[in-house]
Amino acid sequence: MSHKINDIIDQILNAPEHQLPSLKPLVDELVCQLCDITGIELHPAFFQDEHATETPCGKAVSMTTAAQCAEEFIRTQVFLRGVFQAIQDQLKTQDSIRILYAGTGPFGLLVIPLLHQFTPGKVQVCLLDIHQESLDALQKLIEILAVDGFIENQQCTDILQWPIEQQQPFDLIISETMKAMLDQEPQVSVFRHLIPLLKPEGELIPQKVQIKAWLTALPSYNAHDFYLGEIFILDCQQAYILNQQKTPFISGSLDIPESPEVYKSLKFTTDIQVYGDHWLTEYQCSLNLPRIITGANPKPGTQLKYQYEIKQYPKFIFDYQRGESFSIEHLPDYFELSDLGIPYLKRCWYKSQLIKQKQVTEDYLKEEYELDQLLFNTFLSDPKEGSSLLYMSCSMEYVEHYIVENFHAPDKDKKINDFKVSLKKILNRTS
Ligand SMILES: C[S@@+](CC[C@H](N)C(=O)[O-])C[C@H]1O[C@@H](n2cnc3c(N)ncnc32)[C@H](O)[C@@H]1O
């Protein structure tokens, strides 16, 4: 009897691409079915992820966290459709294929639910995960979906310790052991270790993970990001290069050009080519969340240097010279006017930048707390919003823009004047 999961998968595979965003209920139902079969509680009341395993090359997330990945409905659909396409393409040129699925989680989501589309004579799968409880859960699913005949091998092991010399090559090697920017999890090391097992015509999935650097005007007001260049591509070729290196080394640099004043923050994006036309791009799932270094302010004419550290917590680290920096000695006077003619605003924003650059502690702000509150209450809707706006804004230009957009006082001049009077009163009282 065909299981409900098979019907859901068929709908996901047959949907036109533009419909994927509307298929969340379908993916929710899929996840529900997978949890019912495996007995996994997806969101336990007290969840601290204590069952993750730290390896020397990154974190193997716990069974529960791995299961939660399935809920990312665009990720799930794009991976399923990409893997399906890859299997079909491989079968165009050969009668049967072997797939290595490294890091299955409890649902074996990227492969197991697709198997009903094929026959065991065509597709054989080797499954690896470091967590036995994930493989136990997966076994239940394999039985219910009656796909045992497809499973060549199932092993609880650290992929990075798996002896590849004893294995036959594979047509597809699939692993999703990553976060945005290849942070924290061992994707790079997994592909580096497994690449000798890929047949010459075989494919890694994802085919490509592409990390790019941008200058951005954050918080942005309709300004397009300013492209700096590519930081790193993880693909088949790169995996071979890394495999040849005794100690893997990833580093490089990009030029920082002259750019408009507002481009003060650095932004890094992670795009994933799962396979062929099946891409995951900015904001489609957690793997594509951009990393932003607010107020990084790299100096034009210098270089942004980067290096990928492969340690317990793999990550990119950056080195760059900062442009204009703020100093306490140059703090604007209380009555120095902003372009809008508002006193104290410049000083207040400048203080936020000093805190952001860690030149002063937050206590420094408290000394002028009453003045700050008065400013925020007068020109911004509330103090909380005001202080976070000033902290986030990398230029006075943005703060002023925000106030113009949000501060619709017909009696603007009177309001500014009243503010000035109150400011004087507080300063007289406190000095
Ligand atoms: C992010 S989850 C993805 C689960 C599933 N493949 C999916 O895409 O929904 C990563 C899985 O890889 C496993 N994993 C990560 N590093 C591993 C390692 N070094 N050896 C074996 N398994 C690992 C984790 O235990 C986890 O089950």
Side-chain angles (χ1 to χ4, degrees):
M1 192 189 73
S2 172
H3 194 276
K4 188 161 186 198
I5 287 182
N6 295 349
D7 298 339
I8 296 175
I9 294 295
D10 293 349
Q11 287 184 62
I12 290 175
L13 297 181
N14 293 328
E17 195 184 339
H18 70 268
Q19 276 183 11
L20 301 191
S22 66
L23 296 186
K24 183 175 182 308
L26 205 57
V27 177
D28 288 347
E29 179 54 30
L30 172 66
V31 176
C32 214
Q33 294 280 332
L34 292 168
C35 288
D36 278 355
I37 294 171
T38 53
I40 287 176
E41 195 185 344
L42 210 50
H43 297 288
F46 299 104
F47 179 57
Q48 295 187 316
D49 202 18
E50 70 258 275
H51 298 298
T53 304
E54 304 289 346
T55 81
C57 297
K59 179 179 183 178
V61 300
S62 68
M63 177 181 78
T64 309
T65 306
Q68 287 168 354
C69 298
E71 288 183 301
E72 295 210 48
F73 69 104
I74 299 288
R75 183 203 82 111
T76 290
Q77 295 181 88
V78 174
F79 261 99
L80 282 168
R81 290 159 66 100
V83 172
F84 180 65
Q85 179 73 55
I87 299 176
Q88 282 188 318
D89 286 353
Q90 287 290 322
L91 287 173
K92 280 181 192 156
T93 53
Q94 49 197 333
D95 289 341
S96 65
I97 62 163
R98 293 176 67 240
I99 300 174
L100 173 59
Y101 186 2
T104 59
F107 302 150
L109 184 72
L110 311 185
V111 174
I112 300 298
L114 292 170
L115 293 175
H116 71 280
Q117 290 273 349
F118 306 97
T119 60
K122 294 256 175 216
V123 178
Q124 283 291 298
V125 187
C126 175
L127 307 168
L128 307 179
D129 204 285
I130 203 166
H131 297 124
Q132 186 58 51
E133 60 172 350
S134 280
L135 292 171
D136 291 344
L138 183 56
Q139 187 53 38
K140 291 183 197 160
L141 187 64
I142 289 170
E143 282 163 23
I144 295 280
L145 294 180
V147 292
D148 324 48
F150 292 85
I151 313 302
E152 178 186 302
N153 183 15
Q154 187 174 345
Q155 225 174 313
C156 181
T157 177
D158 178 347
I159 300 160
L160 306 173
Q161 304 295 324
W162 197 51
I164 57 165
E165 310 76 35
Q166 298 161 17
Q167 313 301 325
Q168 293 300 312
F170 292 89
D171 300 282
L172 294 176
I173 297 181
I174 302 171
S175 188
E176 192 278 79
T177 40
M178 64 173 284
K179 273 196 161 49
M181 284 211 63
L182 298 165
D183 253 17
Q184 194 180 28
E185 293 186 43
Q187 185 90 40
V188 174
S189 300
V190 166
F191 277 178
R192 171 176 180 255
H193 181 66
L194 297 177
I195 195 69
L197 286 178
L198 190 67
K199 283 189 188 171
E201 304 302 320
E203 296 285 356
L204 283 184
I205 291 187
Q207 273 181 319
K208 199 189 281 181
V209 179
Q210 197 172 33
I211 298 175
K212 293 179 186 162
W214 312 75
L215 284 175
T216 188
L218 248 203
S220 78
Y221 51 104
N222 302 329
H224 290 295
D225 294 332
F226 200 91
Y227 184 51
L228 290 179
E230 212 158 60
I231 293 269
F232 181 62
I233 288 190
L234 178 62
D235 59 4
C236 197
Q237 208 181 346
Q238 183 64 50
Y240 276 116
I241 294 171
L242 294 171
N243 183 268
Q244 295 303 307
Q245 296 170 350
K246 204 164 168 212
T247 309
F249 189 68
I250 299 166
S251 71
S253 61
L254 291 172
D255 291 335
I256 302 291
E258 290 293 341
S259 61
E261 168 69 2
V262 291
Y263 289 93
K264 295 273 190 188
S265 299
L266 277 168
K267 168 173 158 176
F268 302 96
T269 51
T270 308
D271 295 328
I272 302 167
Q273 182 184 25
V274 173
Y275 180 78
D277 293 335
H278 302 275
W279 281 80
L280 285 165
T281 53
E282 203 173 336
Y283 289 113
Q284 286 194 306
C285 72
S286 67
L287 309 181
N288 308 113
L289 290 178
R291 184 205 285 179
I292 292 165
I293 308 181
T294 311
N297 193 17
K299 189 173 178 182
T302 64
Q303 289 200 316
L304 168 70
K305 297 186 184 136
Y306 54 89
Q307 191 180 332
Y308 187 68
E309 270 188 356
I310 301 185
K311 291 190 177 160
Q312 232 184 34
Y313 193 116
K315 63 173 182 302
F316 275 98
I317 46 175
F318 297 97
D319 188 15
Y320 53 90
Q321 269 186 51
R322 299 183 61 91
E324 172 212 0
S325 64
F326 297 83
S327 68
I328 305 175
E329 294 76 46
H330 296 108
L331 201 58
D333 181 72
Y334 295 95
F335 292 96
E336 189 171 326
L337 300 181
S338 73
D339 287 352
L340 283 178
I342 302 174
Y344 189 66
L345 179 62
K346 255 190 176 175
R347 182 180 177 93
C348 198
W349 172 73
Y350 204 99
K351 284 190 298 176
S352 305
Q353 305 308 302
L354 285 173
I355 290 168
K356 195 153 70 183
Q357 294 186 0
K358 300 200 175 16
Q359 294 199 38
V360 293
T361 62
E362 295 231 9
D363 289 344
Y364 188 76
L365 252 189
K366 290 196 182 105
E367 284 176 22
E368 294 174 357
Y369 180 78
E370 204 179 340
L371 303 178
D372 296 348
Q373 301 295 299
L374 177 67
L375 178 82
F376 299 149
N377 281 323
T378 312
F379 299 104
L380 294 152
S381 50
D382 68 75
K384 210 168 158 205
E385 182 195 340
S387 63
S388 67
L389 171 76
L390 260 60
Y391 187 84
M392 291 284 290
S393 305
C394 301
S395 68
M396 266 301 290
E397 202 182 337
Y398 179 77
V399 179
E400 304 248 81
H401 172 84
Y402 186 92
I403 292 176
V404 170
E405 293 277 296
N406 295 279
F407 172 59
H408 304 290
D411 52 349
K412 179 173 147 264
D413 291 343
K414 182 175 181 308
K415 206 154 192 176
I416 292 179
N417 214 33
D418 290 350
F419 173 68
K420 207 184 285 178
V421 172
S422 307
L423 192 67
K424 271 187 191 150
K425 268 191 200 154
I426 296 174
L427 282 170
N428 285 340
R429 177 160 45 77
T430 53
S431 60

